[in-house]
Amino acid sequence: MSTSAATGREARPLYATYGLILATFLGTMGLPHVVVRFYTSPHGVAARRTTVAVLGLVGAFYLLPPVYGALGRLYAPELALSGNADAAVLLLPGRMIGGPGADLLGALVAGGAFAAFLSTASGLTMAVAGVLTQDVLPSRGVRHFRLGTLLAMAVPLAASMLVGGLPVADAVGLAFAVSASSFCPLLVLGIWWRRLTPPGAAVGMLIGGGSAFAAVAATMAGRPGTGTLHALLAWPALWSVPLGFLTMVLVSLATPGRVPAGTAAILARFHLPEELRAEVTA
């Protein structure tokens, strides 16, 4: 997969760059860092405030990888030439400061990476288990939530056994593409467009996210290996995200009678300032 992705970047470097940028920017909406706020906050106001704070922190974090890349180019330029640029994450402390301080900083970076892995996995597991308990399993008790947790963990564990050799950087890009193609159209239209219908939302998520997932599966399987079609499948966000939006809009326009009652009032409450909303409620 690493060779295949590298081939796609070499064949269509500008398309690959923009595809990764779009997937990363829009896929953030579906990250467990954001979604889990709606499961762990005591009320809607707290959920909105913590979501804004998390998005700000994620945005600040996105400023750091380019800085790290520039430092890697400066202190370890041979890594980029040999195709081992990811190693700069652990090698930079030694190249920049050296000695015991470099060892401690390298250990801190490694420990932070593992903590990030665990927190992301636990947050996503909680979010998926909550959805399964609420919408799929027959009961909403603690017992079924535990069952939902096992189901939420079983699928990614099985997938990891099939694609264990997939580089982390490529896996993150592909996961963001699927998230951007499914959650982004749903959240944007669900918050800002009052004519969105449940069939439109469901079909749009299936078509947008499903097409991106199919492209990801084909890329993982190494098909096709080269050419324009490979670039389209390896970086699907540029076409799968518009496809998700278009599908939701067209299906919603074709089913105008399925708009839930009270949608306009609910959206109005979404966009009212908190102080005004409190006065109206009182």
Side-chain angles (χ1 to χ4, degrees), residues 101-193:
D103 296 335
L104 292 175
L105 186 57
L108 178 64
V109 171
F114 278 104
F117 297 156
L118 293 175
S119 63
T120 301
S122 60
L124 187 57
T125 300
M126 177 179 290
V128 175
V131 172
L132 293 175
T133 305
Q134 291 288 330
D135 300 330
V136 178
L137 297 178
S139 176
R140 298 181 181 181
V142 175
R143 180 180 178 183
H144 285 82
F145 180 80
R146 292 172 179 170
L147 177 59
T149 302
L150 294 176
L151 294 175
M153 295 173 60
V155 174
L157 284 175
S160 66
M161 297 178 64
L162 297 176
V163 294
L166 185 66
V168 174
D170 293 332
V172 169
L174 295 174
F176 269 76
V178 176
S179 174
S181 305
S182 53
F183 288 110
C184 175
L186 175 66
L187 293 174
V188 170
L189 294 179
I191 293 174
W192 295 101
W193 192 45

